[in-house]
Every structure is written in structure tokens, then in C-alpha cells.
Amino acid sequence: MERLQKVLARAGVASRRKCEELILAGRVSVDGETVTQLGAKVDPSRQRIAVDGVPIALEQPVVLVLNKPVAYLSTVSDPLGRRTVMQLLPPIRERVYPVGRLDYDTSGLLLFTNDGELTQRLLHPSREIEKVYRVSVRGIVDRETRRALMEGVELEDGVTAPAKVEVLRQADGEDGVAVVHLAIHEGRNRQVRRMFERLGLPVLRLKRIAFGPVSLGHLKTGEWRVLTPDEWVALYQAAGMTPPPYRRPTIRRESERKATARSSSRERNSRRD
């Protein structure tokens, strides 16, 4: 028997915290009866679990890596019709979601998975999972700047945790461009940009090149790949979880794609009505 919110997260419904909200809102049922208690335990192999009346399916976990371009939103959908990272993924059967976000004007490594518990653990501050960024800034990254980054920069929402700093290219002058590798384990909104701007160094370009044990490598902008078996094990271990059996995502057949497209079209039309 497992906690209901854990089963929902493992099925790719949402993060565990979001699944808890669904339960409390009375949107989850077990064997036809609404369940609103977070401590409820279920047997997903024997019981019928549904969200808003739709039965869940326990998918096997998959993880994808995308080299996100700028000018894409790190969301599943956008009510304004703007481009999202989901449009760059292959047509797979598993319902994957971004692990965290990259800003609209930030590029680089973005993970996707249908494992809600993995997502929650990777993003939880207590895990202190390191993210590495390649940052191009206007100005000189001098000794005082490096010290400030390594000791913590005071922002409006508090002092940042110590960062690791490597200067790859120094600017010739105040109007020149310096390139830095910055490793942090926090995930505040627009944190890297705010850190450098607080130190008087406007960010010209920002790209995430690593998330924990997973690196971008030679993956081209806009392209995706699956984790290698070694990355799979290392990522789950970094999250403090026992790695499940390694799996590649399942590509949909053409007939499935057309059926999904028709279903999405009907759903959009029903919303207009």
C-alpha cells in the first residue's frame, strides 16, 4: 500500500505537492469514492484511481534532456498561444513535464520526466543539487566580484548560498564581455541574472549546461535526447531514490498521433463553447 499522492505523482499526474492539492480539492476518487485525506493509502494494482473522473495509468518512468532555445516558455501550455518547450519534444506516449523552469530568455539543459517524486526531490532545496550555467556578462569579473559570488550576494529576497565560480574569459575593459561558469544549488526566480546585475554586470547570455550529474554535452540547440543508463542511475541517486529499471520513451504510432490531435481539437472547441 502506498500514499495516494505518491501514486498520483508516480503516474505523472503532477508533482506530489500539486497532487496533494488535487486530493484536498476533492478531485480524486478511489473505487468511485472521493478521497480528501492526504494520509489515505491505496493499492494501485487492485484499486481504480481517478482524477476528475479520468482513471490514471501507472506509466513506467522516463527522463528526457532538451537543449532549450531562447524564446520558448518552460510550461506545458500557454493560454496566449506562445511557443512552449513541449513543442520541441518527440511524440511519445508518456506524459512528461519540465523539471523546474528556464526563463524565456535563458537557454540550455532542461529535464523532462513523468516521475513526479523524482521531480519533487530534484527541486527540493534540501537536496542541494548543483546546476551549472555558462554566463556572458558585460564588464570585468574581478577578484571582488568572484569573492562576492562565492560568499553570497545580497538580493531583495535574501543572501544567496555560496556559488562556485570559474572565469573562462576575462573582459578587456568595462565594455568588454567576460564569460563565467557559475554553479549554484538554489533555484530562485531569475537568480543568476539578479546576482550579476546586483554586482553591476549585466547578463548578455545565459545557458544552463548541467543539472546534477547530467550535462548538456554536444546536444544542439532545440534537440533532445534520452539519458544514458549511467546518467539514469546517477540522477536517481542524486535525488536520494533507488533507480527504477532503465527505460527509453515509447514513440507514438501515426494513428495515435492523429487520435490525440483530434482529442485536443475537441477539447479546445469545448472550452470555446
Side-chain angles (χ1 to χ4, degrees):
M1 301 286 282
E2 300 178 72
R3 288 184 180 274
L4 179 56
Q5 57 265 40
K6 183 176 180 180
V7 172
L8 293 173
R10 186 158 56 86
V13 173
S15 68
R16 192 183 298 189
R17 180 177 298 179
K18 187 66 177 179
C19 290
E20 291 176 351
E21 295 176 4
L22 294 174
I23 295 171
L24 293 174
R27 297 173 59 184
V28 180
S29 64
V30 178
D31 291 336
E33 295 188 8
T34 300
V35 176
T36 57
Q37 295 181 344
L38 296 182
K41 291 189 175 183
V42 296
D43 182 351
S45 65
R46 300 178 59 186
Q47 294 179 288
R48 183 181 183 276
I49 303 167
V51 177
D52 294 333
V54 180
I56 68 169
L58 286 181
E59 300 174 336
Q60 294 300 312
V62 297
V63 183
L64 300 178
V65 184
L66 173 72
N67 186 347
K68 174 192 172 296
V70 298
Y72 278 82
L73 294 175
S74 298
T75 57
V76 173
S77 61
D78 179 63
L80 300 179
R82 292 171 293 181
R83 296 185 300 184
T84 77
V85 291
M86 305 304 293
Q87 296 171 264
L88 300 171
L89 297 183
I92 61 174
R93 292 179 183 173
E94 293 81 6
R95 298 171 297 170
V96 296
Y97 304 87
V99 178
R101 295 189 177 188
L102 286 179
D103 296 332
Y104 185 77
D105 48 1
T106 298
S107 64
L109 192 155
L110 188 60
L111 295 174
F112 293 80
T113 185
N114 58 346
D115 190 331
E117 183 175 3
L118 176 64
T119 296
Q120 182 186 43
R121 287 179 174 240
L122 289 174
L123 298 178
H124 199 281
S126 66
R127 304 304 309 180
E128 296 190 356
I129 295 177
E130 194 171 82
K131 279 83 72 176
V132 183
Y133 296 84
R134 183 182 177 94
V135 195
S136 298
V137 299
R138 179 78 67 190
I140 300 173
V141 182
D142 55 22
R143 183 179 299 176
E144 289 189 7
T145 299
R146 294 196 298 271
R147 182 186 302 116
L149 293 168
M150 290 187 290
E151 293 179 354
V153 179
E154 186 170 354
L155 303 177
E156 60 271 18
D157 52 354
V159 179
T160 62
K164 297 177 183 177
V165 186
E166 179 186 3
V167 180
L168 303 179
R169 187 178 75 202
Q170 188 59 274
D172 295 332
E174 295 294 338
D175 292 330
V177 177
V179 181
V180 176
H181 276 180
L182 186 79
I184 62 175
H185 60 75
E186 294 180 296
R188 306 187 200 183
N189 184 42
R190 298 179 67 85
Q191 179 176 339
V192 175
R193 293 181 185 276
R194 291 192 292 136
M195 290 171 68
F196 280 97
E197 289 166 1
R198 177 69 176 82
L199 299 173
L201 299 168
V203 173
L204 305 176
R205 187 175 300 159
L206 181 59
K207 184 173 189 173
R208 185 158 68 189
I209 59 175
F211 190 122
V214 182
S215 298
L216 199 57
H218 299 293
L219 191 64
K220 295 180 181 179
T221 301
E223 293 187 348
W224 64 274
R225 67 175 177 86
V226 298
L227 294 188
T228 66
D230 287 344
E231 287 175 326
W232 176 275
V233 172
L235 187 66
Y236 271 93
Q237 289 179 340
M241 300 172 65
T242 300
Y246 175 74
R247 280 192 75 253
R248 299 176 64 87
T250 306
I251 303 296
R252 287 177 177 168
R253 296 189 299 271
E254 184 63 28
S255 58
E256 292 179 286
R257 298 181 205 177
K258 291 180 179 178
T260 300
R262 289 194 298 268
S263 177
S264 299
S265 178
R266 286 195 298 268
E267 184 177 350
R268 287 193 298 269
N269 292 334
S270 67
R271 288 176 181 171
R272 294 193 190 103
D273 297 339

